[in-house]
Amino acid sequence: MTREEERLQESRERKVHWKRWGPYLSERAWGTVREDYSPNGTAWDYFPHDHARSRAYRWGEDGLGGICDRHQAICFALALWNGRDPILKERLFGVTGNEGNHGEDVKEYYFYLDSTPTHSYMKYLYKYPQAEFPYGRLVNENRRRGRSAPEYELLDTGVFDEDRYFDIFVEYAKANAEDILIRISVVNRGPDRASLHLLPTLWFRNTWSWGYNELRPSLRRAKNREGHAAIEVSHSYYGLRSLHCEGVPELLFTENNTNSRRLYGADNDTPYVKDGINEYIVHGIKGAVNPEPVGTKVAAHYPLILSPGETVQMRLRFTDTEIPPTSGDLFGVDFDRIFSERQREADEFYTSVIPQDLAPDARNVMRQAFAGLLWSKQFYYYVVAQWLTGDPAFPPPPQERLRGRNHEWTHVYNADVISMPDKWEYPWYAAWDLAFHCLPLALVDSDFAKEQLVLMLREWYMHPNGQLPAYEWAFGDVNPPVHAWAAWRVYKIERKRRGRGDPAFLERVFSKLLLNFTWWVNRKDAEGLNVFQGGFLGLDNIGIFDRSQPLPTGGRIEQADGTSWMGMYTLNMLAIALEIARDNPTYEDVASKFLEHFVYIAHAMNTLGMWNDADGFYYDVLHLPDDRHVALKVRSMVGLIPLFAVETLDPELLNRLPSFKRRLEWFIDHRPDLIHGCACMRTPGREARRLLSIANPERLRRVLALMLDEQEFLSPYGIRAISRYHHDHPFTLTIDGVEHRIDYEPAESGTGLFGGNSNWRGPIWFPVNYLIIESLQKFHYYLGDDYTVECPTGSGRMMTLSEVATEISRRLSRIFLRGPDGRRPVYGATEKFQHDPLWRDLVLFHEYFHGDNGVGIGASHQTGWTGLVAKLMQQCGE
C-alpha cells in the first residue's frame, strides 16, 4: 500500500482520525434556504452577499480556501485586501437570479489543484485582482443583459489586464491527524510593485447566540512567544489547541456575532462584531477590534509589498501539541520536510489511480477532477424542525413558514460532511447528483463513497414514507432513483480495486432501498399500470410543460423517462439481490420479485404508446382528462433513458441460484403476454448470457440510428439532451389558444422555467452520458462483436457497441483536453484560459456543456457529476 492508502486504512479502522480536519467549509453560506427566514422563501434576497460579512450564520460557515473540523466548530480560511476594495475579500462573490444570473456562475477565479482523500495534502489557488474588485459593475451589467446575451464575467471587466493580479496558493500538509501545516504563497503577476494585506483567519462557528445554552469558546493571544505569534484555542469538545503564525503579525480579535447596528439599526449584543476586522483594515476604525487579545474570531495581519514577479510565503501551524515558547524549529527544516513528504505521497497515491499511459495533459485533468471532488466536501447542517419553528433567543419565524418549504420533512436532522455538487452554486446536497459523485470518489476513497450512500438512507434523512430528500430547496421534489445503481457500481469498483467486495454494505443499502422502491410504486404509478410520473426528475426544462406542476391541459404525463428510471431501478435491485443471494439463498425470492416488476414495467413501456414505431423512438404521452392520449414527439434524453434499463445474467450465476433460475424459466414459459415486446430473456447471447432490457436489439438499433446521428443527438463532445433536429423543426403544441414550444437550445436556457438556471434543451450533461456509455457496454456484453451499428449514422463506419461507448467517452473527455490547436473546448473564446501559461492548465468542471462546441456552461466548479470524466479516462483513456 501507498502511505495514503495506509492512512485510509487507519481511518477505516478508526485507529487515527485522519479525516477529522478537511476542506469542509462552504464557498457560500449566504443566499441559502437554511439562512432564509423570510415569509415567502426568497433566500437570495433575504440574506445577500452584502450581509455576509456582518451577520453571524445560523447553519454553517463559508470561507476562502479554508478548512474546518468535521463538525465545523473551528474554522480557518483566508481574508485578503488589495487596498482598493470596499470590503475585505473573505468569501467568493457571485450575482443572484434577480441580479441577472442566468447560468449559475460565480464571478471569481479559484481552482482546486490537489487533495488526497484524507486531506493529508491539499492545494488551492485564488486569483485576486490588484484593481478594485468590480462588485457593482458585475451586478449592474448582468442585470442589464437579457437571457439572450452572455453573462458578464470577471475577465470581461478588464481587472486582469496586463496581469495585474495576485496568485495566492494555499497548501495544507498534516504532520499527523491533529497537526496541520499551512503554507500561503503570494505571487505578484503584475508589472508593478503592489501591496496586499494577507489575513489568515481563525474563528468559531457561532453556536452560542441562538438560545440553547451552548458554551462560548475562546481565542486569545498566547504570551511570551519568541519569533512568532500564537493564538490559544479553547473549545469544550476539542480542548486546547493553538495556531502559530510565522513572524510577528498583528493579531486582530473580534467576535463572530452579528453587527445588528449596521444591518438593522439596533444595539449590538457585544461591542465587537463579525465585521470588526473588515472595519479595522478597510476603514481604519481602531475601536472595531478588541484591544484585549481575546474573542471568537481572529486574524493575523501581514501587510505585504511585492515587486513584479516576486513570491512571498507565510507559514502557519494549527496543532493540539503543546509548543514551547522558545521552540526554534516550528517553521524550520522539519516543516519543509513534511510538506515535501506529503506532496511525494500524493504523487505516489495518484500514480496508483491514474493510468500512466495517459498523456500528461489528461493526467492533469484527472488529478484536478479528483481534487475538485475532494475539496467539495462540506459540513452540511440543517435541522428542519428548529428551522421551521425558530430559535429560543429570537422571535418566531413568520407563520407562512410552517406551511411552506420542507414543512413535511420535520424529521430531517442533517449535520454531516457531504459531497456537494458545487460549494458555491449548490452548497447543498442533491440526491441524484450525489449518486454520480460516488463513482469517481470510489476510485480514491470507497469508504467515503459508501458512507455517503448509506447516509442518505438513514432515518434522519430518508422520509418515514421511504422518499429520499431531493435537495434543500424542496426535499419533496423527485430525483431519478439512481441510488441502487450507485451502490452497485461502488461495490464493484471497490471489489476490483481491493480484490474483495463489501457484501455487508450491499445488504445494508438494499434493505433501506426496499422502502424507497415501495414509495415509488405506491406514490408515482397513478393507475397501477407500471407507468410512472416522477415530475421533472432532475431534467428541469426538458419537457414542453413543467412536469412537476399541474398541467395546463389537465390530466397527467405518462413519462417515458420516469417509467424507464423505474425499469433501471428494478434491474439494479435485482442485480444486488442476486449478488447477496450467492451467500444467502433467501434473497433468491426477493430477486424473483424484482424480475417480475421489471417485466411488467418493460411491457408497459413497449405496449402503452410510449414506443413510436414510425419514428423508432420513445416519447412521453399526454393523458388528457377525456382519456385521449397525445404523444409528445420531442426527440430528447427522455427517449434515450429507456436504454438505461438493461442487465445481463451470466450462466454461472444462474446455475449457482437454481431457485431463481426455475422462476425465471417459469415466468418466460407461462407469461408470454408480458414478454412480448421486451428483449428476449431466453435467447442466449454471447457466452450464453441472458438479456433483460426494455429495448430489444431491433428497437435498440433504431434508437441508436437517431442517437448517433450528428444532425440529431451526437455532438463532437457527447450526446445532446435534445436533438439538433429541433433547431429547424421546433415541437409545438397549442392548448386553449396558447402555444407551448420546444426548440434546440445548445447553451443557456431561453426560458425562465425552473428559474432558468440550467438547461436540458440541447446541452451535454455528464451523468446521462455516462449512463448511455455504461448501457452500451452492457448491451455489448450480451450481443458481442457481431452486433454493429453505423457510427456516426450515415458515415458508413460500422462499430461494435463497445467501440461506440468508447467513442462517446472520448468525445466527452475531449471537452477538457487541449486539441492539436492547443485549445480546450471547455474555454471556448476565453483567450486568457486558452493561451496564458498561468491559466491554460487550470481546469474548470462545469455543470453542463454547449451542445455544438463543448464550451462550459452553468456552475463552474461542479466537479460533482462532471468529475465522472475522471472515471471515463480511467476506463476508456483519452
Side-chain angles (χ1 to χ4, degrees):
M1 288 193 291
T2 64
R3 180 64 189 101
E4 179 62 14
E5 288 170 319
E6 290 174 356
R7 280 190 282 266
L8 285 168
Q9 181 168 314
E10 291 166 353
S11 177
R12 183 185 316 124
E13 296 172 351
R14 295 184 170 274
K15 292 179 178 177
V16 184
H17 298 301
W18 283 108
K19 298 179 186 176
R20 173 173 285 160
W21 300 90
Y24 311 142
L25 276 181
S26 179
E27 308 288 7
R28 175 174 63 84
W30 54 275
T32 62
V33 165
R34 286 161 289 160
E35 298 294 344
D36 175 22
Y37 285 80
S38 65
N40 301 313
T42 53
W44 287 106
D45 298 325
Y46 181 78
F47 199 145
H49 178 269
D50 184 56
H51 285 195
R53 67 183 181 276
S54 304
R55 188 191 300 187
Y57 292 124
R58 172 65 177 88
W59 296 103
E61 297 290 329
D62 56 16
L64 203 63
I67 61 171
C68 67
D69 62 278
R70 64 179 302 108
H71 303 295
Q72 204 174 87
I74 306 171
C75 308
F76 173 89
L78 287 191
L80 307 164
W81 191 51
N82 58 13
R84 295 179 172 86
D85 286 355
I87 58 174
L88 284 184
K89 177 63 69 175
E90 295 179 273
R91 58 190 50 81
L92 298 167
F93 173 75
V95 295
T96 71
N98 294 337
E99 294 169 341
N101 179 2
H102 54 93
E104 298 279 16
D105 193 8
V106 64
K107 305 304 180 194
E108 304 267 14
Y109 297 111
Y110 59 103
F111 306 90
Y112 305 125
L113 298 182
D114 210 357
S115 179
T116 57
T118 63
H119 312 296
S120 58
Y121 177 71
M122 297 192 295
K123 188 175 184 179
Y124 170 101
L125 168 62
Y126 177 68
K127 290 182 177 287
Y128 185 36
Q130 294 171 2
E132 179 180 340
F133 196 91
Y135 294 104
R137 268 192 293 160
L138 287 166
V139 170
N140 294 333
E141 179 60 22
N142 277 296
R143 184 180 280 143
R144 186 187 67 79
R145 296 186 180 193
R147 288 196 182 277
S148 60
E151 286 194 56
Y152 187 59
E153 304 292 359
L154 185 57
L155 273 172
D156 298 331
T157 68
V159 294
F160 288 97
D161 290 355
E162 299 180 298
D163 291 334
R164 295 182 183 274
Y165 67 92
F166 299 103
D167 267 342
I168 300 167
F169 297 90
V170 188
E171 295 173 277
Y172 300 92
K174 294 181 180 178
N176 59 52
E178 306 295 340
D179 186 4
I180 303 171
L181 283 55
I182 305 165
R183 187 163 66 189
I184 304 167
S185 304
V186 180
V187 188
N188 177 8
R189 300 298 188 189
D192 300 317
R193 283 166 60 86
S195 63
L196 175 72
H197 296 258
L198 177 66
L199 297 119
T201 304
L202 186 71
W203 74 100
F204 297 108
R205 176 167 61 88
N206 188 322
T207 58
W208 55 85
S209 292
W210 321 110
Y212 297 100
N213 299 317
E214 291 281 342
L215 294 175
R216 183 190 293 251
S218 70
L219 303 167
R220 63 179 62 249
R221 186 177 64 205
K223 297 179 179 178
N224 303 321
R225 292 289 149 177
E226 190 174 288
H228 74 280
I231 299 152
E232 293 179 352
V233 181
S234 177
H235 188 272
S236 59
Y237 181 81
Y238 285 110
L240 293 175
R241 293 167 187 263
S242 54
L243 176 68
H244 301 266
C245 309
E246 184 178 26
V248 285
E250 181 182 18
L251 299 181
L252 306 175
F253 287 85
T254 188
E255 302 290 341
N256 188 17
N257 284 1
T258 296
N259 186 346
S260 298
R261 182 174 294 113
R262 174 180 179 255
L263 297 177
Y264 315 117
D267 290 337
N268 285 325
D269 295 333
T270 57
Y272 308 105
V273 288
K274 182 177 178 179
D275 56 12
I277 298 169
N278 177 86
E279 297 302 296
Y280 179 88
I281 295 293
V282 177
H283 301 293
I285 301 174
K286 302 301 182 186
V289 295
N290 195 345
E292 295 295 322
V294 64
T296 51
K297 179 180 178 181
V298 62
H301 180 204
Y302 293 98
L304 307 175
I305 299 177
L306 290 84
S307 300
E310 183 181 1
T311 299
V312 172
Q313 195 172 90
M314 304 308 304
R315 296 178 291 186
L316 301 94
R317 193 163 188 162
F318 180 65
T319 183
D320 67 345
T321 302
E322 186 174 345
I323 305 294
T326 58
S327 175
D329 60 354
L330 192 62
F331 302 109
V333 174
D334 188 55
F335 188 98
D336 293 331
R337 179 188 58 79
I338 292 169
F339 257 103
S340 296
E341 284 183 1
R342 297 297 172 267
Q343 288 172 314
R344 178 183 54 77
E345 291 162 357
D347 292 341
E348 177 188 47
F349 173 75
Y350 280 111
T351 297
S352 73
V353 175
I354 298 173
Q356 294 306 293
D357 57 354
L358 291 179
D361 188 43
R363 295 202 300 270
N364 174 53
V365 170
M366 278 191 73
R367 184 82 171 249
Q368 290 188 54
F370 287 127
L373 280 159
L374 294 168
W375 269 93
S376 293
K377 297 179 184 180
Q378 178 187 313
F379 173 75
Y380 182 87
Y381 186 36
Y382 187 21
V383 181
V384 170
Q386 290 181 3
W387 178 77
L388 288 170
T389 58
D391 298 316
F394 289 84
Q399 284 298 304
E400 294 93 331
R401 150 181 306 263
L402 296 175
R403 299 183 300 277
R405 177 182 286 132
N406 295 332
H407 72 279
E408 296 178 332
W409 291 75
T410 53
H411 69 286
V412 166
Y413 194 112
N414 299 165
D416 299 281
V417 172
I418 305 178
S419 174
M420 296 292 127
D422 178 316
K423 291 201 296 186
W424 195 92
E425 309 286 356
Y426 306 109
W428 29 263
Y429 63 88
W432 86 300
D433 296 59
L434 183 68
F436 291 102
H437 303 182
C438 288
L439 267 70
L441 281 169
L443 291 174
V444 294
D445 188 357
S446 56
D447 295 319
F448 180 70
K450 291 186 296 183
E451 289 163 8
Q452 294 290 284
L453 293 168
V454 169
L455 188 64
M456 293 297 120
L457 301 171
R458 298 305 299 265
E459 55 271 26
W460 51 91
Y461 282 77
M462 176 188 271
H463 197 282
N465 66 19
Q467 185 179 7
L468 294 184
Y471 44 82
E472 86 172 8
W473 283 84
F475 281 146
D477 273 351
V478 183
N479 280 176
V482 292
H483 217 77
W485 166 80
W488 179 228
R489 292 294 286 115
V490 166
Y491 171 84
K492 291 196 290 185
I493 290 169
E494 181 181 55
R495 183 175 63 186
K496 186 173 183 178
R497 284 191 58 78
R498 285 191 186 170
R500 63 184 186 280
D502 185 354
F505 159 72
L506 268 192
E507 195 162 357
R508 188 178 184 187
V509 296
F510 185 84
S511 63
K512 298 299 287 286
L513 285 169
L514 285 173
L515 301 175
N516 180 248
F517 185 88
T518 303
W519 176 84
W520 270 92
V521 170
N522 291 338
R523 298 294 183 97
K524 294 299 176 181
D525 179 7
E527 292 186 324
L529 296 175
N530 299 288
V531 176
F532 292 85
Q533 305 87 29
F536 83 112
L537 283 172
L539 308 187
D540 292 15
N541 63 349
I542 202 166
I544 195 165
F545 310 116
D546 182 343
R547 300 187 301 171
S548 64
Q549 298 297 324
L551 302 177
T553 60
R556 66 181 180 277
I557 293 177
E558 296 172 346
Q559 291 184 225
D561 58 335
T563 308
S564 300
W565 285 121
M566 280 301 289
M568 174 182 165
Y569 195 178
T570 59
L571 291 180
N572 299 146
M573 294 292 278
L574 171 62
I576 294 172
L578 292 174
E579 180 70 11
I580 300 171
R582 289 175 180 270
D583 299 312
N584 186 346
T586 59
Y587 275 82
E588 292 185 63
D589 291 340
V590 183
S592 298
K593 181 62 176 173
F594 282 107
L595 171 67
E596 181 183 4
H597 270 297
F598 172 73
V599 172
Y600 279 107
I601 290 170
H603 180 263
M605 276 294 301
N606 287 298
T607 61
L608 297 183
M610 286 176 280
W611 170 256
N612 186 289
D613 200 54
D615 293 355
F617 205 69
Y618 291 95
Y619 297 120
D620 280 350
V621 174
L622 177 61
H623 188 167
L624 294 167
D626 61 7
D627 215 31
R628 285 183 297 136
H629 290 70
V630 178
L632 300 177
K633 299 178 72 173
V634 182
R635 295 179 190 169
S636 77
M637 190 59 64
V638 165
L640 299 180
I641 287 173
L643 304 187
F644 301 170
V646 56
E647 192 59 69
T648 57
L649 301 176
D650 284 310
E652 175 271 334
L653 177 64
L654 291 176
N655 291 333
R656 285 190 59 174
L657 305 173
S659 296
F660 174 78
K661 185 178 181 181
R662 282 197 304 273
R663 293 182 187 114
L664 171 66
E665 300 292 358
W666 184 95
F667 208 90
I668 295 170
D669 289 340
H670 291 83
R671 296 305 307 269
D673 55 320
L674 293 177
I675 301 303
H676 174 71
C678 307
C680 180
M681 295 184 292
R682 169 165 284 167
T683 305
R686 182 181 176 193
E687 298 183 16
R689 297 180 180 112
R690 304 288 189 94
L691 177 68
L692 303 176
S693 171
I694 283 178
N696 64 30
E698 285 309 308
R699 289 183 178 176
L700 171 65
R701 189 180 298 279
R702 297 192 65 191
V703 172
L704 292 183
L706 289 173
M707 191 186 84
L708 300 177
D709 188 333
E710 292 183 313
Q711 299 307 309
E712 297 260 3
F713 286 97
L714 184 61
S715 159
Y717 305 100
I719 304 298
R720 303 173 173 108
I722 281 183
S723 169
R724 203 174 189 282
Y725 170 84
H726 292 299
H727 180 273
D728 298 319
H729 306 89
F731 177 80
T732 61
L733 183 67
T734 301
I735 305 291
D736 296 329
V738 178
E739 183 184 81
H740 302 270
R741 174 183 177 120
I742 285 186
D743 296 88
Y744 172 67
E745 299 178 83
E748 291 174 343
S749 174
T751 172
L753 196 65
F754 281 91
N757 283 330
S758 65
N759 181 27
W760 285 82
R761 295 187 174 184
I764 294 153
W765 292 77
F766 262 76
V768 286
N769 268 264
Y770 186 88
L771 289 174
I772 287 169
I773 291 167
E774 182 176 283
S775 299
L776 291 172
Q777 291 168 336
K778 288 182 177 181
F779 277 114
H780 178 260
Y781 191 63
Y782 171 79
L783 293 166
D785 292 346
D786 292 337
Y787 186 99
T788 60
V789 296
E790 200 174 23
C791 180
T793 300
S795 68
R797 182 184 176 194
M798 304 304 293
M799 292 188 186
T800 67
L801 297 185
S802 177
E803 290 169 337
V804 173
T806 299
E807 175 65 19
I808 295 170
S809 176
R810 288 175 176 167
R811 290 183 182 221
L812 290 162
S813 298
R814 192 181 300 156
I815 290 171
F816 301 101
L817 298 172
R818 280 207 302 269
D821 59 357
R823 301 176 70 87
R824 299 184 195 277
V826 62
Y827 289 133
T830 308
E831 297 303 318
K832 193 79 169 171
F833 277 102
Q834 295 291 16
H835 298 299
D836 191 315
L838 298 175
W839 294 66
R840 67 182 184 182
D841 291 328
L842 303 172
V843 185
L844 293 177
F845 298 87
H846 287 261
E847 182 183 4
Y848 54 104
F849 302 86
H850 193 291
D852 294 334
N853 59 35
V855 169
I857 310 169
S860 56
H861 289 72
Q862 195 156 349
T863 328
W865 61 23
T866 302
L868 285 164
V869 69
K871 183 70 179 77
L872 291 177
M873 288 182 174
Q874 180 260 347
Q875 68 190 29
C876 295
E878 298 164 62

